[in-house]
Amino acid sequence: MPEGCALGADVEEGYGTDHEVAAKEAVALFKRLDNGLYGKKRRAYEKGVDRLGIQGMAMRSYASQDEDLHVEAFVLRMKDKGKVREFFELRREPAGLAGLAEGPEIEARAGNAACFVMPDPERPEDAEEEGRWQDRPRGTACSAYDGEVLVSVTSAEVGGPHTEAVADLVEKQLRHIEPPGEYG
């Protein structure tokens, strides 16, 4: 658990704050994330999820003690290293197309990690609205992979960007899954 944090709110679908699902349930979860596809596109998406070779997924949420940061972390294991990279690239591409700004680099994982931050809304001209603008929610999303494992972390932040903390959490998660003897 990150320093200064406790377990956060329930992860979607009522899984609680710390949960693990086997392959079949993880595949079903991803199939539900079809973003409103229907017909041929939905069937193609579902076949693509089936081809990933998902073996299971762990999920956990954290909240900072001052409640200005909420993080959800997902660790996904697949059968094939190539599929992990393919899935990573598929997730990274839409973020760039959506115009999300690149976030901090995870230096030790430069080739297999990416972070993006949600764009800021326009600053208000009205001084009365300035206080609300300062406390606007922000978000950061980072993903990285190592071998057959993909780590994905998303955050909701208030009161200031926590992008470095989110990137640091991804790096720490990857170090924890390294083969025994390599973690240090």
Side-chain angles (χ1 to χ4, degrees):
M1 187 165 316
E3 224 174 282
C5 287
L7 290 176
D10 285 356
V11 178
E12 63 185 86
E13 303 288 331
Y15 286 114
T17 59
D18 188 9
H19 195 75
E20 188 175 329
V21 294
K24 187 175 179 178
E25 192 172 353
V27 167
L29 274 169
F30 276 96
K31 285 183 177 180
R32 285 195 297 264
L33 299 174
D34 64 14
N35 295 322
L37 300 174
Y38 56 92
K40 288 181 182 179
K41 289 183 179 182
R42 181 182 176 98
R43 287 189 295 278
Y45 172 79
E46 288 179 353
K47 285 181 183 178
V49 170
D50 287 334
R51 285 193 298 267
L52 288 173
I54 295 172
Q55 293 184 315
M57 181 171 61
M59 53 193 99
R60 179 178 274 183
S61 71
Y62 305 100
S64 62
Q65 291 172 345
D66 55 8
E67 298 182 4
D68 65 347
L69 173 65
H70 181 262
V71 176
E72 289 186 350
F74 298 87
V75 178
L76 180 66
R77 182 171 295 281
M78 297 183 201
K79 291 179 184 175
D80 180 333
K81 292 177 185 180
K83 294 291 183 188
V84 173
R85 178 167 179 74
E86 182 181 320
F87 186 63
F88 170 78
E89 293 298 336
L90 282 173
R91 289 179 53 103
R92 181 161 75 171
E93 185 179 327
L97 293 174
L100 299 181
E102 287 192 28
E105 285 189 26
I106 301 173
E107 291 180 28
R109 312 285 179 172
N112 60 344
C115 291
F116 295 92
V117 294
M118 303 302 285
D120 276 340
E122 286 189 37
R123 193 175 201 123
E125 292 180 23
D126 183 357
E128 217 171 273
E129 296 291 319
E130 179 71 19
R132 279 189 249 170
W133 186 83
Q134 293 292 345
D135 290 335
R136 72 200 176 280
R138 295 174 171 89
T140 304
C142 295
S143 291
Y145 66 92
D146 189 5
E148 297 89 15
V149 177
L150 176 91
V151 174
S152 181
V153 175
T154 58
S155 72
E157 311 152 14
V158 177
H162 296 275
T163 55
E164 293 295 334
V166 175
D168 187 49
L169 178 58
V170 171
E171 173 63 27
K172 287 178 181 176
Q173 292 295 310
L174 284 169
R175 283 197 315 243
H176 280 291
I177 60 174
E178 288 177 344
E182 291 183 26
Y183 177 66

